Amino acid sequence: MPTTDQRVAIVTGAARGIGAATAVRLAAQGRAVAVLDLDEDACADTVGRIREAGGTATAVGCDVSDEAAAQAAVARVADELGAPVILVNNAGVLRDNLLFKMSTTDWDTVLGVHLRGAFLMSRATQKHMVDAGWGRIVNLSSSSALGNRGQVNYSAAKAGMQGFTKTLAVELGKFGVTANAVAPGFIATDMTKATADRVGMGFEEFKTAAAGQIPVRRVGEPEDVAGAIAFFTDDASGFVSGQVLYVAGGPLD
Ligand code: NAI
C-alpha cells in the first residue's frame, strides 16, 4: 500500500496544457501520476518532465469517452502504480459554433469527452477511493458554464460538470472522498490558441485583448489552474467538497 505521500493520481488530458501542469504539480507533491491522454506517445514529454525532477509517472493512452478504454486504463494504473485515489477530469475539446450552425456530431463530441468522460473515469476510479477510505476528485468546469456565445455544447458540458461534481460530493463524502470543480477563465494553452486561429487573430493580440477584460490584467497560465487543483487534492482539504472555484483573475457574475 503506498504511503500517504505516494498516493496515486490520474490526470486526464495531461499530454499538454492545464493537464500537463497539473500532473507536474501533483508529482512534485510526491504523488505517483498517471499521465493520461488520447495518444500514449504524446504523454512522453509530461512523463519525462516528472521523471527528470525525480518523480514517478507513467503514460496511459485512453479516450475517456470510451467505456471499455476508461475501465481498462484505470485497471492498468492500479496495476502499474497502485490504486488511484486522486482523479482530475481535465480532458477536453472545443467544437464551437453558433446554435443554428452546430452539428449534432459537434454537440455529441463535446458532451462525450467532458461529461461522459468524467462520468466513466469517476465511476471506474471511485471503487479504489472507497476501498481506501480516502479520495479526491477534481473536475474542470469553465467560466463558459455561465454562458458563452458560440459554445452551447461546451457551456452545457461545463455547467453539467458543476452539477456532476456536487452530486459526487453528496454521494461519496461518507467514504472520505471529496469532489470539487475548478472553473478557469482565459488560460493560455493550445485550446485558446486554436480559438485565436479560428477567429483569425494572432495569439499575442488575442491574449492582450483578453487581458484587458480581466481584473488582474493578464491571462492565466496552466500553472495558475494547477495550483487550485493541487489545493483540492491536498490531504488538508478534506472538509472542502462540492465547491466550484473560479480561477479567472477576478470575480465572475
Ligand atoms: P488543451 O487542448 O491544451 O488540452 C486538452 C488535452 O485533452 C489534450 O492533450 C487532448 O489530447 C486531451 N483530450 C481531448 N480529448 C480527449 C479524450 N477523449 N480522452 C483523453 N484525452 C483527451 O486544453 P487546456 O486548455 O489545457 O484545457 C484543459 C481543460 O481545461 C479542458 O477541460 C478545458 O475545457 C478546460 N478549460 C480550459 C480553459 C482555457 O482557457 N484553456 C478555460 C476553462 C476550462
Side-chain angles (χ1 to χ4, degrees):
M1 187 69 188
T3 66
T4 300
D5 281 345
Q6 290 167 330
R7 281 178 169 140
V8 176
I10 298 175
V11 183
T12 73
R16 67 186 199 198
I18 294 168
T22 300
V24 168
R25 176 71 180 250
L26 297 187
Q29 292 178 318
R31 314 306 195 182
V33 182
V35 176
L36 185 151
D37 212 293
L38 279 174
D39 172 14
E40 187 163 325
D41 291 343
C43 300
D45 183 55
T46 308
V47 169
R49 284 168 63 194
I50 291 171
R51 289 185 181 156
E52 272 165 33
T56 303
T58 196
V60 179
C62 170
D63 176 350
V64 295
S65 67
D66 178 325
E67 182 171 10
Q71 278 170 357
V74 171
R76 190 182 144 194
V77 172
D79 216 35
E80 290 182 17
L81 290 179
V85 291
I86 298 170
L87 173 64
V88 182
N89 285 309
N90 166 82
V93 289
L94 293 181
R95 294 289 186 274
D96 294 356
N97 226 327
L98 294 174
L99 173 64
F100 78 103
K101 288 192 285 190
M102 183 164 291
S103 70
T104 309
T105 303
D106 284 350
W107 173 270
D108 288 343
T109 298
V110 168
L111 274 286
V113 175
H114 295 269
L115 270 184
R116 179 182 159 92
F119 157 66
L120 291 173
M121 290 299 298
S122 301
R123 192 181 61 181
T125 311
Q126 54 78 30
K127 181 185 179 306
H128 296 291
M129 301 186 191
V130 170
D131 286 350
W134 191 97
R136 300 281 185 266
I137 299 173
V138 184
N139 297 316
L140 269 289
S141 179
S142 166
S143 55
S144 294
L146 301 169
N148 198 24
R149 184 179 167 80
Q151 292 195 318
V152 279
N153 49 2
Y154 186 77
S155 62
K158 291 310 199 184
M161 290 294 255
Q162 298 191 9
F164 176 66
T165 300
K166 288 169 199 254
T167 299
L168 290 182
V170 170
E171 290 190 12
L172 298 175
K174 67 181 173 189
F175 302 109
V177 179
T178 67
N180 292 283
V182 171
F186 188 117
I187 310 298
T189 67
D190 288 333
M191 184 177 273
T192 37
K193 182 172 182 314
T195 302
D197 291 346
R198 193 174 56 80
V199 299
M201 280 174 84
F203 196 34
E204 290 309 314
E205 185 194 355
F206 193 59
K207 286 193 287 186
T208 302
Q213 306 299 313
I214 299 171
V216 301
R217 289 293 183 269
R218 68 171 178 89
V219 299
E221 298 297 329
E223 290 71 21
D224 291 315
V225 185
I229 293 169
F231 164 73
F232 284 131
T233 65
D234 203 90
D235 287 77
S237 301
F239 205 56
V240 182
S241 196
Q243 301 304 302
V244 179
L245 179 61
Y246 283 90
V247 180
L252 295 173
D253 292 337

